[in-house]
Amino acid sequence: MNILFINPPNVPFSDKNILIEPIDIISLATYIATFGHKVSIIDMDTEQLQADDLEHVFDNKKPEVIVLTLDYHIPLHTTGTLIEINLIINIAAQHNIKTVLGGKTATYFPELVFEQCNLLDIIITFHMETALSQLLKEKTWDTPVLSTINGIIFRSANKIIKNGLQEYTDINDLPMPDRRLIDIDHYIEVRSILSSRGCNGSCSYCPTPSFWGNWQGKSATLVADEIEYLVKTTGSKKIIFLDDNATVDNQRIIDICNLIIEKKLDVSLGCLAAVNTVNTDLLKKMYEAGFRWIHYGLESGSERILQSIKKHSTRDMILKTVQQSKEFGFRTRSSWILDLPDTEESDLEATIELISRLETDEIRIHYLALRAGSTIHRELVCDRFPSQYIHNSFPTVITAKVTRKYLQNRIDHLTQDLSKRNYVIIKSSADMSNFFPTKANSKILSFIPLKYGIGW
Ligand code: SF4
């Protein structure tokens, strides 16, 4: 079959200067190609294409099926993207192209998604590999055939049919993502890898444990081989692990580090980690192997809030881990959610104080996103679409027990404080453009998505 994978456009389009390749879609398309299908990818966000622009793409590529994802692994899309997805599906239907949608919104809200996208053929829930590969083996997608494929949701005679859960493909059986499927020059110079899925944590604002399930990691050998390939064949100098939490299995990371050292790979590495999944020995080994950047999602400086969101961290752990990371020489990024549910003035003060005290090189301020699949979403707005965009630049729903005015006052105070300490303040794409490249090693306080690979 001829399959076109589509990364739908963000609404508005994402800032081109920060976009990293959609490694989740590349990985899925590469896997599907192993079944003999012809696959291609179009990244509508990077190419700044709107639904109408697909007319000529469909005429040229003549796909039989398009596969769309919305908030699959990398959460860049706003809820407005679903409107674009509906337009894309309508155009595909005019061309007799079958349509498949995966990702968190479709998994958790199939009824609402089918209502909004009424020509959509199939939703694939959770991990897409197994169900999609089975679906694409079938020449006809009628009810008796579709009923045999676990992990999909479809409509039949105006009813929504939800099949049972699919068996997940072992992450170790996935081939190395074929980055030739996209034009790598359209993206920033930092390459990404996905070395694991899921997380054993239970942070209440995060859909990762629910969507991806128990953490599973690729073997150290596979990960080191992929890094070696990127370094030796594409000349990559910086690679970031985009895993939600790369350091769940410390021994695996140590094994990866040992292989990188053994292979003498000249590369700088970065990853996202949780403070409760790293320790001194691990940080030391990571630095030795070339890790130079680490992002900790810290979220709050209040013990009470850390407990209520089930973060499994404490102020002491945060202070110790960030301090150690800085001492080893990592460039550190911390991220914070200022308006977590039940946050009182004293909690916000504790958070602002900790942000200020830690002085991580990059500070990313977030407001709460009610993400599909998260505990907070289930508890607060269980039957409505989530406000899933994690990059909102102002609070969309106030779940904290502080007023917007108070919140803004404390943010202004923090901004002034950090400005005096020579932090560059980034509030808009224009700020980001002005900032690069002259001050690339600066400390940064940002209220919008930051480019990866600054200063390391
Ligand atoms: S540690 Fe990170 S990935 Fe894991 S549940 Fe918490 S926020 Fe999600």
Side-chain angles (χ1 to χ4, degrees):
M1 266 192 176
N2 182 0
I3 321 294
L4 175 62
F5 289 79
I6 298 180
N7 186 34
N10 205 351
V11 182
F13 292 119
S14 304
D15 182 344
K16 276 187 166 188
N17 297 315
I18 65 161
L19 280 174
I20 199 158
E21 70 268 23
I23 191 68
D24 48 354
I25 299 171
I26 300 170
S27 174
L28 180 62
T30 307
Y31 177 72
I32 291 303
T34 64
F35 293 86
H37 299 295
K38 180 180 175 190
V39 303
S40 55
I41 297 176
I42 187 151
D43 186 341
M44 295 177 69
D45 203 26
T46 311
E47 295 186 32
Q48 303 211 330
L49 299 177
Q50 286 173 322
D52 286 349
D53 299 318
L54 289 181
E55 290 277 4
H56 77 275
V57 175
F58 291 163
D59 285 341
N60 287 341
K61 290 187 178 281
K62 302 198 179 343
E64 294 158 88
V65 177
I66 59 167
V67 179
L68 296 135
T69 55
L70 174 61
D71 191 8
Y72 187 44
H73 188 106
I74 300 172
L76 260 188
H77 293 119
T78 63
T79 38
T81 296
L82 195 58
I83 295 166
E84 280 296 310
I85 286 176
N86 181 42
L87 297 173
I88 294 166
I89 288 167
N90 289 346
I91 294 171
Q94 288 162 18
H95 289 250
N96 290 321
I97 299 167
K98 292 176 178 148
T99 50
V100 176
L101 176 64
K104 299 185 184 86
T105 306
T107 295
Y108 294 107
F109 298 94
E111 289 86 359
L112 293 174
V113 166
F114 274 129
E115 194 180 305
Q116 188 148 338
C117 305
N118 55 28
L119 296 179
L120 171 65
D121 291 309
I122 307 284
I123 285 173
I124 296 186
T125 59
F126 302 101
H127 303 211
M128 293 178 74
E129 288 90 2
T130 308
L132 183 58
S133 58
Q134 288 175 358
L135 184 65
L136 296 175
K137 277 185 199 150
E138 305 297 343
K139 289 201 170 59
T140 54
W141 290 7
D142 53 22
T143 301
V145 169
L146 295 179
S147 301
T148 64
I149 301 173
N150 283 337
I152 68 168
I153 303 177
F154 62 101
R155 280 174 298 191
S156 175
N158 289 328
K159 280 196 182 145
I160 292 181
I161 315 286
K162 297 180 182 178
N163 291 351
L165 289 179
Q166 59 182 305
E167 273 186 28
Y168 294 149
T169 307
D170 184 336
I171 193 172
N172 285 291
D173 292 337
L174 301 181
M176 189 186 298
D178 183 356
R179 293 162 180 85
R180 293 169 305 177
L181 289 168
I182 45 128
D183 185 345
I184 209 76
D185 293 337
H186 288 172
Y187 303 91
I188 62 171
E189 69 282 8
V190 182
R191 294 284 63 78
S192 62
I193 63 170
L194 287 174
S195 85
S196 67
R197 275 182 174 170
C199 181
N200 294 347
S202 52
C203 306
S204 58
Y205 55 87
C206 175
T208 293
S210 151
F211 186 79
W212 294 109
N214 284 342
W215 184 89
Q216 52 165 322
K218 283 188 184 170
S219 73
T221 306
L222 282 177
V223 178
D225 285 352
E226 186 168 346
I227 292 170
E228 182 176 29
Y229 172 85
L230 287 171
V231 171
K232 292 189 174 165
T233 63
T234 69
S236 303
K237 295 280 181 215
K238 290 182 191 175
I239 299 171
I240 184 166
F241 287 55
L242 278 186
D243 313 28
D244 288 303
N245 187 354
T247 53
V248 170
D249 179 348
N250 285 187
Q251 188 55 50
R252 186 190 75 117
I253 291 287
I254 288 172
D255 293 344
I256 292 169
C257 290
N258 284 333
L259 286 168
I260 291 168
I261 293 165
E262 208 175 281
K263 289 170 185 280
K264 296 188 172 53
L265 299 178
D266 180 16
V267 62
S268 295
L269 301 164
C271 75
L272 289 71
V275 290
N276 62 337
T277 58
V278 298
N279 57 46
T280 313
D281 291 344
L282 183 70
L283 288 170
K284 188 166 179 241
K285 178 59 80 176
M286 287 170 73
Y287 195 82
E288 198 187 334
F291 279 88
R292 291 293 178 270
W293 180 86
I294 196 157
H295 174 175
Y296 295 116
L298 301 177
E299 321 311 354
S300 177
S302 156
E303 300 283 11
R304 193 179 73 86
I305 296 296
L306 288 170
Q307 275 186 18
S308 77
I309 60 172
K310 298 192 169 48
K311 191 68 199 168
H312 302 306
S313 63
T314 63
R315 280 177 65 96
D316 281 351
M317 283 166 70
I318 292 171
L319 277 161
K320 183 177 164 207
T321 307
V322 172
Q323 193 54 40
Q324 274 188 341
S325 306
K326 289 166 81 171
E327 283 167 11
F328 276 118
F330 287 90
R331 183 171 170 89
T332 51
R333 180 185 289 186
S334 60
S335 58
W336 308 84
I337 304 173
L338 296 188
D339 56 341
L340 284 159
D342 298 329
T343 294
E344 296 179 359
E345 290 183 4
S346 57
D347 302 308
L348 188 55
E349 291 308 321
T351 300
I352 299 281
E353 186 274 331
L354 191 56
I355 294 173
S356 181
R357 176 139 49 125
L358 287 173
E359 268 197 68
T360 54
D361 301 287
E362 300 165 22
I363 300 168
R364 176 72 172 93
I365 300 294
H366 286 274
Y367 301 103
L368 182 65
L370 304 174
R371 300 193 60 207
S374 68
T375 306
I376 285 184
H377 182 268
R378 272 197 302 281
E379 288 174 354
L380 291 179
V381 282
C382 60
D383 59 347
R384 280 188 285 126
F385 272 134
S387 141
Q388 64 176 8
Y389 188 45
I390 66 165
H391 299 302
N392 284 322
S393 51
F394 54 87
T396 48
V397 184
I398 280 276
T399 54
K401 290 180 176 165
V402 294
T403 62
R404 281 173 201 263
K405 191 173 169 194
Y406 185 83
L407 184 59
Q408 192 55 54
N409 175 287
R410 302 320 296 149
I411 290 170
D412 291 346
H413 180 83
L414 176 70
T415 306
Q416 284 162 14
D417 172 29
L418 293 175
S419 290
K420 284 184 202 148
R421 288 191 257 160
N422 293 323
Y423 271 75
V424 174
I425 311 298
I426 296 185
K427 291 185 175 174
S428 66
S429 297
D431 291 342
M432 185 104 74
S433 302
N434 293 337
F435 164 66
F436 289 109
T438 49
K439 299 173 189 162
N441 289 320
S442 302
K443 295 194 166 200
I444 302 165
L445 168 65
S446 182
F447 295 84
I448 63 170
L450 266 176
K451 184 181 171 183
Y452 290 121
I454 305 166
W456 55 278

